[in-house]
Amino acid sequence: MGWESVALRVISAGGGQSRALVPRGVENVFGWSPDGTSIAFEAGSGTFGKLAGVDVTTGKVRKRRYPPAAVWKPD
């Protein structure tokens, strides 16, 4: 299975149906933002991935530059 087929899904802590936030192309998941509104992940792309974040409510994905070390900031 290649990275093209890996999705990022969320499910309520109480159970129920999962919901796809990113339907494919997820290489690694780094974690939730401190305010719980976004999840940072690496979108696979050949040997090197791209850092991205997805808004949990809207599903909008925002690509980021890939720094050597990433941290969440208020903005």
Coordinates of all heavy atoms in Angstrom, one line a residue:
M1 N 0.8 -1.2 0.0 CA 0.0 0.0 0.0 C 0.9 1.2 0.0 O 1.7 1.4 0.8 CB -0.9 0.0 1.3 CG -1.6 1.2 1.4 SD -2.7 1.4 2.9 CE -2.6 -0.1 3.8
G2 N 0.7 2.1 -1.0 CA 1.5 3.3 -1.0 C 0.8 4.5 -0.3 O -0.3 4.4 0.2
W3 N 1.5 5.6 -0.1 CA 1.0 6.7 0.6 C -0.3 7.3 0.0 O -1.1 7.9 0.7 CB 2.0 7.8 0.8 CG 2.5 8.4 -0.4 CD1 3.6 8.0 -1.1 CD2 1.9 9.5 -1.2 NE1 3.8 8.8 -2.3 CE2 2.7 9.7 -2.3 CE3 0.8 10.3 -1.0 CZ2 2.5 10.7 -3.3 CZ3 0.5 11.2 -2.0 CH2 1.4 11.4 -3.1
E4 N -0.5 7.1 -1.3 CA -1.7 7.6 -2.0 C -3.0 7.1 -1.4 O -4.0 7.8 -1.5 CB -1.6 7.2 -3.5 CG -0.4 7.7 -4.2 CD 0.7 6.7 -4.2 OE1 0.6 5.6 -3.6 OE2 1.8 7.0 -4.8
S5 N -3.0 6.0 -0.7 CA -4.2 5.4 -0.2 C -4.5 5.6 1.2 O -5.5 5.2 1.8 CB -4.2 3.9 -0.5 OG -3.2 3.3 0.2
V6 N -3.6 6.3 1.9 CA -3.8 6.5 3.4 C -4.6 7.8 3.6 O -4.2 8.9 3.1 CB -2.4 6.6 4.1 CG1 -2.6 6.8 5.6 CG2 -1.7 5.3 3.9
A7 N -5.7 7.7 4.4 CA -6.6 8.8 4.7 C -6.4 9.3 6.1 O -5.9 8.5 7.0 CB -8.0 8.4 4.4
L8 N -6.9 10.5 6.4 CA -6.9 11.0 7.7 C -8.4 11.1 8.1 O -9.1 11.8 7.4 CB -6.2 12.4 7.8 CG -6.3 13.1 9.1 CD1 -5.7 12.3 10.3 CD2 -5.6 14.4 9.0
R9 N -8.8 10.4 9.1 CA -10.2 10.4 9.5 C -10.3 10.7 11.0 O -9.4 10.5 11.7 CB -10.8 9.0 9.3 CG -10.7 8.5 7.8 CD -11.4 7.2 7.6 NE -12.8 7.2 7.7 CZ -13.6 7.5 6.8 NH1 -13.2 7.9 5.6 NH2 -14.9 7.5 7.0
V10 N -11.5 11.3 11.4 CA -11.8 11.6 12.8 C -13.1 10.9 13.2 O -13.9 10.6 12.3 CB -11.9 13.1 13.0 CG1 -10.5 13.8 12.9 CG2 -12.9 13.8 12.2
I11 N -13.2 10.7 14.5 CA -14.4 10.1 15.0 C -14.6 10.7 16.4 O -13.7 11.0 17.1 CB -14.3 8.5 15.1 CG1 -15.6 7.9 15.5 CG2 -13.2 8.1 16.0 CD1 -15.6 6.4 15.3
S12 N -15.8 10.9 16.8 CA -16.2 11.4 18.1 C -15.7 10.5 19.2 O -15.7 9.3 19.0 CB -17.7 11.5 18.2 OG -18.1 11.8 19.5
A13 N -15.2 11.1 20.3 CA -14.8 10.3 21.4 C -15.9 9.4 21.9 O -15.6 8.4 22.5 CB -14.3 11.2 22.5
G14 N -17.1 9.8 21.7 CA -18.3 9.0 22.1 C -18.6 7.9 21.1 O -19.6 7.1 21.4
G15 N -17.9 7.8 20.0 CA -18.2 6.7 19.0 C -19.0 7.3 17.8 O -19.2 8.5 17.7
G16 N -19.5 6.4 17.0 CA -20.3 6.8 15.9 C -19.5 6.6 14.6 O -18.5 5.9 14.5
Q17 N -19.9 7.2 13.5 CA -19.3 7.1 12.2 C -18.0 8.0 12.2 O -18.0 9.1 12.7 CB -20.2 7.6 11.1 CG -21.4 6.7 10.9 CD -21.0 5.4 10.2 OE1 -19.8 5.2 9.8 NE2 -21.9 4.5 9.9
S18 N -17.0 7.5 11.5 CA -15.8 8.3 11.3 C -16.1 9.2 10.1 O -17.0 8.9 9.2 CB -14.6 7.4 11.0 OG -14.7 6.7 9.8
R19 N -15.3 10.3 10.0 CA -15.5 11.2 8.9 C -14.1 11.5 8.3 O -13.1 11.7 9.0 CB -16.0 12.5 9.4 CG -16.2 13.7 8.5 CD -17.0 14.8 9.1 NE -16.4 15.3 10.3 CZ -15.6 16.4 10.3 NH1 -15.3 17.1 9.2 NH2 -15.2 16.9 11.5
A20 N -14.0 11.4 6.9 CA -12.7 11.6 6.3 C -12.4 13.1 6.2 O -13.2 13.9 5.7 CB -12.7 11.0 4.9
L21 N -11.3 13.5 6.7 CA -10.8 14.9 6.6 C -10.0 15.0 5.4 O -10.1 16.0 4.6 CB -10.0 15.3 7.8 CG -10.8 15.5 9.1 CD1 -9.9 15.9 10.2 CD2 -11.9 16.6 8.9
V22 N -9.1 14.1 5.2 CA -8.2 14.1 4.0 C -8.3 12.7 3.4 O -7.9 11.7 4.0 CB -6.7 14.3 4.4 CG1 -5.8 14.4 3.2 CG2 -6.6 15.7 5.1
P23 N -9.0 12.5 2.2 CA -9.3 11.2 1.7 C -8.1 10.3 1.3 O -8.2 9.1 1.2 CB -10.2 11.5 0.5 CG -10.0 12.9 0.2 CD -9.5 13.6 1.4
R24 N -7.0 10.9 1.0 CA -5.8 10.1 0.6 C -4.5 11.0 0.6 O -4.6 12.2 0.7 CB -6.0 9.6 -0.8 CG -6.1 10.6 -1.9 CD -6.2 9.9 -3.3 NE -6.3 10.9 -4.3 CZ -7.4 11.6 -4.7 NH1 -8.5 11.4 -4.1 NH2 -7.3 12.5 -5.6
G25 N -3.4 10.4 0.6 CA -2.1 11.1 0.5 C -1.5 11.5 1.8 O -0.6 12.3 1.8
V26 N -1.9 10.9 2.9 CA -1.4 11.2 4.2 C -0.2 10.3 4.5 O -0.4 9.1 4.6 CB -2.4 11.1 5.3 CG1 -1.8 11.4 6.7 CG2 -3.6 12.1 5.1
E27 N 0.9 10.9 4.8 CA 2.1 10.1 5.1 C 2.3 9.9 6.6 O 2.5 8.8 7.1 CB 3.4 10.8 4.5 CG 4.7 10.0 4.7 CD 4.7 8.8 3.8 OE1 4.1 8.7 2.8 OE2 5.5 7.9 4.2
N28 N 2.2 11.0 7.4 CA 2.4 11.0 8.8 C 1.4 12.0 9.4 O 1.1 13.0 8.8 CB 3.8 11.4 9.3 CG 4.8 10.4 8.9 OD1 4.7 9.2 9.3 ND2 5.8 10.8 8.1
V29 N 0.9 11.7 10.6 CA 0.1 12.7 11.4 C 0.9 13.1 12.5 O 1.4 12.3 13.3 CB -1.2 12.0 11.8 CG1 -2.0 13.0 12.7 CG2 -2.1 11.6 10.6
F30 N 1.0 14.5 12.7 CA 1.9 15.0 13.7 C 1.1 15.4 15.0 O 1.6 15.3 16.1 CB 2.6 16.3 13.2 CG 3.6 16.0 12.1 CD1 3.4 16.4 10.9 CD2 4.7 15.1 12.4 CE1 4.3 16.1 9.9 CE2 5.6 14.8 11.4 CZ 5.4 15.3 10.1
G31 N -0.2 15.7 14.8 CA -1.0 16.0 16.0 C -2.0 17.1 15.9 O -2.0 17.9 14.9
W32 N -2.8 17.3 16.9 CA -3.8 18.3 17.0 C -3.2 19.6 17.4 O -2.2 19.7 18.1 CB -4.8 17.9 18.1 CG -5.7 16.8 17.7 CD1 -5.5 15.5 17.9 CD2 -7.0 16.9 17.2 NE1 -6.5 14.8 17.4 CE2 -7.5 15.6 17.0 CE3 -7.8 18.0 16.8 CZ2 -8.8 15.4 16.5 CZ3 -9.1 17.7 16.3 CH2 -9.5 16.4 16.1
S33 N -3.8 20.7 16.9 CA -3.4 22.1 17.3 C -3.8 22.2 18.8 O -4.7 21.6 19.2 CB -4.1 23.1 16.4 OG -5.5 23.1 16.6
P34 N -3.2 23.1 19.5 CA -3.5 23.3 20.9 C -5.0 23.7 21.1 O -5.6 23.4 22.1 CB -2.6 24.5 21.3 CG -1.4 24.3 20.4 CD -2.0 23.9 19.1
D35 N -5.6 24.4 20.2 CA -7.0 24.9 20.3 C -8.0 23.8 19.8 O -9.2 24.0 19.9 CB -7.2 26.2 19.6 CG -7.0 26.2 18.1 OD1 -6.8 25.1 17.6 OD2 -7.2 27.2 17.5
G36 N -7.5 22.7 19.3 CA -8.3 21.6 18.8 C -9.0 21.8 17.5 O -10.0 21.1 17.2
T37 N -8.6 22.8 16.7 CA -9.4 23.1 15.5 C -8.7 22.5 14.3 O -9.3 22.5 13.2 CB -9.5 24.6 15.3 OG1 -8.2 25.2 15.2 CG2 -10.3 25.3 16.4
S38 N -7.4 22.1 14.4 CA -6.7 21.6 13.2 C -5.8 20.4 13.5 O -5.5 20.2 14.7 CB -5.8 22.7 12.6 OG -6.5 23.9 12.3
I39 N -5.5 19.7 12.5 CA -4.5 18.6 12.7 C -3.4 18.8 11.7 O -3.7 19.0 10.5 CB -5.2 17.2 12.4 CG1 -6.4 17.0 13.4 CG2 -4.2 16.1 12.5 CD1 -7.2 15.8 13.1
A40 N -2.2 18.7 12.1 CA -1.0 18.8 11.2 C -0.7 17.4 10.7 O -0.7 16.4 11.4 CB 0.2 19.4 12.0
F41 N -0.3 17.4 9.4 CA 0.1 16.1 8.8 C 1.1 16.3 7.7 O 1.3 17.4 7.3 CB -1.1 15.3 8.3 CG -1.8 16.0 7.2 CD1 -1.6 15.6 5.9 CD2 -2.8 17.0 7.3 CE1 -2.2 16.1 4.8 CE2 -3.4 17.6 6.3 CZ -3.1 17.1 5.0
E42 N 1.7 15.3 7.3 CA 2.6 15.3 6.2 C 2.0 14.6 5.0 O 1.5 13.5 5.1 CB 3.9 14.5 6.5 CG 4.9 14.5 5.4 CD 6.2 13.7 5.8 OE1 6.1 12.9 6.7 OE2 7.2 13.9 5.2
A43 N 1.9 15.4 3.9 CA 1.3 14.8 2.7 C 2.4 14.2 1.9 O 3.4 14.9 1.6 CB 0.6 15.9 1.9
G44 N 2.4 12.9 1.6 CA 3.4 12.2 0.9 C 3.6 12.8 -0.5 O 2.7 13.1 -1.2
S45 N 4.9 12.8 -0.9 CA 5.2 13.3 -2.2 C 6.6 12.8 -2.6 O 7.6 13.4 -2.3 CB 5.2 14.8 -2.3 OG 5.6 15.3 -3.5
G46 N 6.6 11.6 -3.1 CA 7.9 11.0 -3.5 C 8.7 10.7 -2.2 O 8.2 10.2 -1.2
T47 N 10.0 11.1 -2.2 CA 10.8 10.8 -1.1 C 10.6 11.8 0.1 O 10.7 11.5 1.2 CB 12.3 10.9 -1.5 OG1 12.6 10.0 -2.5 CG2 13.2 10.6 -0.3
F48 N 10.2 13.1 -0.3 CA 10.0 14.1 0.7 C 8.5 14.5 0.8 O 7.9 14.7 -0.3 CB 10.9 15.3 0.4 CG 12.3 15.0 0.4 CD1 13.0 14.8 -0.7 CD2 13.0 14.9 1.6 CE1 14.4 14.5 -0.8 CE2 14.4 14.5 1.6 CZ 15.0 14.4 0.4
G49 N 8.0 14.7 2.0 CA 6.6 15.1 2.1 C 6.5 16.6 2.2 O 7.5 17.3 2.3
K50 N 5.3 17.0 2.3 CA 4.9 18.4 2.5 C 4.1 18.6 3.8 O 3.2 17.8 4.0 CB 4.1 19.0 1.4 CG 4.7 18.7 0.0 CD 5.9 19.7 -0.2 CE 6.4 19.6 -1.6 NZ 7.7 19.2 -1.8
L51 N 4.4 19.6 4.6 CA 3.7 19.8 5.8 C 2.4 20.5 5.5 O 2.3 21.4 4.6 CB 4.5 20.7 6.8 CG 3.9 21.0 8.1 CD1 3.8 19.7 8.9 CD2 4.7 22.0 8.9
A52 N 1.3 20.0 6.1 CA 0.0 20.6 5.8 C -0.8 20.6 7.1 O -0.5 19.9 8.1 CB -0.7 19.8 4.8
G53 N -1.9 21.3 7.1 CA -2.8 21.3 8.2 C -4.2 21.2 7.7 O -4.5 21.8 6.6
V54 N -5.1 20.6 8.4 CA -6.5 20.5 8.0 C -7.4 21.0 9.1 O -7.2 20.7 10.2 CB -6.9 19.0 7.6 CG1 -6.8 18.1 8.7 CG2 -8.3 19.0 7.0
D55 N -8.3 21.9 8.7 CA -9.3 22.4 9.6 C -10.4 21.3 9.9 O -11.0 20.8 8.9 CB -10.0 23.7 9.0 CG -11.0 24.3 10.0 OD1 -12.0 23.7 10.3 OD2 -10.7 25.4 10.4
V56 N -10.5 20.9 11.1 CA -11.4 19.8 11.5 C -12.9 20.1 11.1 O -13.6 19.2 10.8 CB -11.2 19.4 13.0 CG1 -12.2 18.3 13.4 CG2 -9.8 19.0 13.2
T57 N -13.3 21.3 11.2 CA -14.7 21.7 11.0 C -15.0 21.8 9.5 O -15.9 21.2 9.0 CB -15.0 23.0 11.6 OG1 -14.8 22.9 13.0 CG2 -16.5 23.4 11.4
T58 N -14.1 22.5 8.7 CA -14.4 22.7 7.3 C -13.8 21.7 6.4 O -14.2 21.5 5.2 CB -13.9 24.1 6.9 OG1 -12.5 24.1 7.0 CG2 -14.5 25.2 7.8
G59 N -12.7 21.0 6.8 CA -12.0 20.1 6.0 C -11.0 20.8 5.0 O -10.4 20.1 4.2
K60 N -10.8 22.1 5.2 CA -9.9 22.8 4.3 C -8.5 22.5 4.7 O -8.1 22.6 5.8 CB -10.2 24.3 4.4 CG -9.2 25.1 3.5 CD -9.5 26.6 3.7 CE -8.6 27.4 2.7 NZ -8.8 28.8 2.8
V61 N -7.7 22.1 3.7 CA -6.3 21.8 3.8 C -5.4 23.0 3.4 O -5.7 23.6 2.4 CB -5.9 20.6 3.0 CG1 -4.4 20.3 3.0 CG2 -6.7 19.3 3.4
R62 N -4.5 23.3 4.3 CA -3.5 24.4 4.0 C -2.1 23.8 4.0 O -1.7 23.2 5.0 CB -3.7 25.5 5.1 CG -5.0 26.2 5.0 CD -5.2 27.1 6.2 NE -4.1 28.1 6.2 CZ -4.0 29.0 7.2 NH1 -4.8 29.0 8.2 NH2 -3.0 29.9 7.2
K63 N -1.5 24.0 2.8 CA -0.1 23.5 2.7 C 0.9 24.5 3.4 O 0.6 25.7 3.3 CB 0.3 23.3 1.2 CG -0.6 22.4 0.5 CD -0.3 20.9 0.7 CE -1.3 20.0 0.1 NZ -0.8 19.1 -0.9
R64 N 1.9 24.0 3.9 CA 2.9 24.8 4.6 C 4.3 24.5 4.0 O 4.5 23.4 3.5 CB 2.9 24.6 6.1 CG 1.6 24.7 6.7 CD 1.3 26.2 6.9 NE 0.1 26.4 7.7 CZ -0.5 27.5 7.8 NH1 -0.1 28.5 7.2 NH2 -1.6 27.6 8.5
R65 N 5.3 25.4 4.2 CA 6.6 25.1 4.0 C 7.1 24.1 5.1 O 6.5 24.1 6.2 CB 7.5 26.3 4.1 CG 7.3 27.2 2.9 CD 8.3 28.3 2.9 NE 8.1 29.2 4.0 CZ 8.9 30.1 4.5 NH1 10.1 30.2 4.0 NH2 8.6 30.8 5.5
Y66 N 8.0 23.2 4.7 CA 8.4 22.2 5.7 C 9.7 22.6 6.4 O 10.8 22.4 5.9 CB 8.7 20.9 4.9 CG 8.5 19.6 5.7 CD1 8.0 18.5 5.1 CD2 8.8 19.6 7.0 CE1 7.9 17.3 5.8 CE2 8.6 18.5 7.8 CZ 8.2 17.3 7.2 OH 8.0 16.2 7.9
P67 N 9.6 23.2 7.6 CA 10.8 23.6 8.3 C 11.4 22.4 9.0 O 10.8 21.3 9.1 CB 10.2 24.5 9.4 CG 8.9 24.0 9.6 CD 8.4 23.5 8.3
P68 N 12.7 22.5 9.4 CA 13.3 21.4 10.1 C 12.6 21.0 11.4 O 12.6 19.8 11.8 CB 14.7 21.9 10.4 CG 14.9 23.2 9.7 CD 13.5 23.7 9.3
A69 N 12.0 21.9 12.1 CA 11.2 21.6 13.2 C 9.9 22.5 13.2 O 10.0 23.7 13.0 CB 12.0 21.9 14.5
A70 N 8.8 21.9 13.4 CA 7.5 22.6 13.3 C 6.9 22.7 14.7 O 7.0 21.8 15.5 CB 6.6 21.9 12.4
V71 N 6.3 23.9 15.0 CA 5.6 24.1 16.2 C 4.3 24.8 15.9 O 4.2 25.6 14.9 CB 6.4 24.9 17.3 CG1 7.6 24.1 17.7 CG2 6.8 26.2 16.8
W72 N 3.3 24.7 16.7 CA 2.0 25.4 16.6 C 2.2 26.8 17.1 O 2.9 27.1 18.1 CB 0.9 24.8 17.4 CG 0.4 23.5 16.8 CD1 0.6 22.2 17.2 CD2 -0.4 23.4 15.6 NE1 0.0 21.4 16.4 CE2 -0.7 22.0 15.4 CE3 -1.0 24.3 14.7 CZ2 -1.4 21.6 14.3 CZ3 -1.8 23.8 13.7 CH2 -2.0 22.5 13.5
K73 N 1.7 27.8 16.4 CA 1.7 29.2 16.8 C 0.3 29.7 16.8 O -0.6 29.2 16.2 CB 2.5 30.1 15.8 CG 4.0 29.8 15.8 CD 4.7 30.7 14.9 CE 6.2 30.6 15.1 NZ 6.9 31.6 14.4
P74 N 0.0 30.8 17.6 CA -1.3 31.3 17.7 C -2.0 31.7 16.4 O -3.2 31.6 16.2 CB -1.1 32.6 18.6 CG 0.1 32.3 19.3 CD 1.0 31.5 18.4
D75 N -1.2 32.1 15.4 CA -1.8 32.5 14.1 C -1.8 31.4 13.2 O -2.2 31.4 12.0 CB -1.0 33.7 13.5 CG 0.5 33.3 13.2 OD1 0.9 32.3 13.7 OD2 1.1 34.1 12.5

